[in-house]
């Protein structure tokens, strides 16, 4: 028999050089277990855990997307020139020009349409004397639409060699070189909405019958109790003050056929002729 390997004192096998004998080196390899290696209950538990995590994260993901979209829209509308003002369209203006309205609006070209203060813009335009009121609206993507309601003249007041036009509130909104056709003249020292004489004259004009208006040429206000009408045929109606205007207008209309240079209706219950 051939001799076996030599053994040392410890009883371990020794090599030819007297050292311990080594076996072949082991090599480790990680191998993924097949799906059938994981119990079905564990797989179901892991799947439900993933679903719970996804459901918990979904609202936050949706919220983040909405916020990003909202920020993008807000920047596009409010911060960029994509929806900037490119036109100011004026409607209803006859006494004022579109250029005057745009200058009064004072809205720079290119400013984001959404940032325009519509009320403030309308107030600025309403500051033009012929404009009674104005409304402003947006017409996307880049137009401001201004609708103007202008004042209506009810009387003209001679001033030096020109004529100023009053509306029903006594506002002076226009100046002309000649007396406008179709408007009665009113003789006033200081026409304006705060002038008592102006308010009294407008009260008289407001109650005149169509027959009186048709023959009226001028209303003279020498004082609050000294108002008179001058008619087309040269006659005069003494009106007195502005009280009981409807009664005075009715009586004066009924007496237009009388032959008299002066009809005094200042006391409508007791009429005098001269």
């Amino acid at each position: 028999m051939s001799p076996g390997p030599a053994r040392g004192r410890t009883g371990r096998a020794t090599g030819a050089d007297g050292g311990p004998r080594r076996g072949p080196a082991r090599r480790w390899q990680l191998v993924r277990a097949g799906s059938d290696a994981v119990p079905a209950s564990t797989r179901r538990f892991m799947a439900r855990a993933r679903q719970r995590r996804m459901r918990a994260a979904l609202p936050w993901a949706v919220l983040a997307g909405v916020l990003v979209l909202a920020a993008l829209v807000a920047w596009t509308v409010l911060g960029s020139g994509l929806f900037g003002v490119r036109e100011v369209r004026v409607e209803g203006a006859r006494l004022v020009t579109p250029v005057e309205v745009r200058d009064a609006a004072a809205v720079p070209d290119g400013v984001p349409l959404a940032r325009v203060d519509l009320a403030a813009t309308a107030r600025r335009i309403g500051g033009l004397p012929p404009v009674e009121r104005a409304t402003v609206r947006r017409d996307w993507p880049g137009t401001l639409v201004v609708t103007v309601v202008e004042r209506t003249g009810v009387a003209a007041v001679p001033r030096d060699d020109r004529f100023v036009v009053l509306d029903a509130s006594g506002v002076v909104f226009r100046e002309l070189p000649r007396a406008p056709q179709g408007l009665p003249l009113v003789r006033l020292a200081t026409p304006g909405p705060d002038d008592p004489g102006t308010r009294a004259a407008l009260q008289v004009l407001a109650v005149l019958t169509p027959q009186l208006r048709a023959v009226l040429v001028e209303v003279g206000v020498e004082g609050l109790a000294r108002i008179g009408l001058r008619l087309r045929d040269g006659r005069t109606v003494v009106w007195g003050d502005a009280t009981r205007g409807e009664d005075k207008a009715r009586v004066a209309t009924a007496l237009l056929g009388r032959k008299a240079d002066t009809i005094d209706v200042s006391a409508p219950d007791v009429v005098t002729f001269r």
Side-chain angles (χ1 to χ4, degrees):
M1 292 178 65
S2 61
R7 295 182 181 274
R9 294 180 180 179
T10 59
R12 294 180 179 178
T14 58
D17 58 356
R21 184 179 179 183
R22 297 173 180 173
R26 295 183 178 180
R27 295 180 180 179
W28 295 93
Q29 183 178 5
L30 181 64
V31 178
R32 183 181 298 274
S35 59
D36 55 351
V38 180
S41 61
T42 302
R43 292 198 302 272
R44 288 194 297 270
F45 175 79
M46 295 173 63
R48 286 195 295 268
R50 283 195 301 271
Q51 291 175 355
R52 284 194 296 269
R53 289 194 298 270
M54 292 178 63
R55 283 197 296 267
L58 182 61
W60 295 102
V62 172
L63 178 60
V66 170
L67 291 176
V68 170
L69 180 61
L72 179 61
V73 171
W75 176 83
T76 302
V77 174
L78 298 174
S80 73
L82 184 61
F83 293 101
V85 176
R86 291 174 173 79
E87 178 188 4
V88 178
R89 189 165 70 241
V90 181
E91 299 175 350
R94 293 180 298 106
L95 302 179
V96 293
T97 65
V99 173
E100 290 174 319
V101 173
R102 294 187 187 103
D103 289 345
V107 176
D109 290 340
V111 67
L113 188 61
R115 291 173 54 187
V116 176
D117 189 332
L118 301 184
T121 303
R123 284 194 298 271
R124 290 193 294 270
I125 297 170
L128 294 171
V131 176
E132 183 175 355
R133 64 181 181 276
T135 57
V136 183
R137 62 181 176 86
R138 299 179 180 92
D139 186 10
W140 299 95
T143 302
L144 275 181
V145 181
V146 179
T147 302
V148 172
V149 177
E150 296 179 327
R151 299 183 187 276
T152 301
V154 298
V157 180
R159 179 183 286 176
D160 298 329
D161 58 346
R162 301 178 69 82
F163 296 84
V164 296
V165 182
L166 305 178
D167 72 352
S169 300
V171 175
V172 176
F173 68 93
R174 199 177 181 193
E175 185 173 323
L176 301 173
R178 294 183 299 275
Q181 293 183 353
L183 293 182
L185 297 181
V186 178
R187 299 282 177 177
L188 292 166
T190 55
D194 299 325
D195 174 49
T198 301
R199 293 197 296 267
L202 294 175
Q203 282 182 265
V204 173
L205 287 174
V207 299
L208 294 182
T209 62
Q211 295 90 334
L212 277 175
R213 282 186 172 276
V215 296
L216 177 67
V217 174
E218 180 181 292
V219 177
V221 182
E222 297 180 8
L224 294 181
R226 299 173 61 191
I227 302 173
L229 312 182
R230 185 164 66 87
L231 306 183
R232 188 173 299 164
D233 56 8
R235 291 188 294 174
T236 300
V237 177
V238 178
W239 199 269
D241 59 22
T243 62
R244 299 188 63 184
E246 293 181 356
D247 293 337
K248 294 175 182 179
R250 186 178 64 254
V251 172
T253 301
L255 298 175
L256 285 177
R258 288 289 188 94
K259 291 184 178 181
D261 292 335
T262 302
I263 303 172
D264 189 339
V265 295
S266 57
D269 298 327
V270 182
V271 181
T272 60
F273 305 92
R274 292 193 297 273

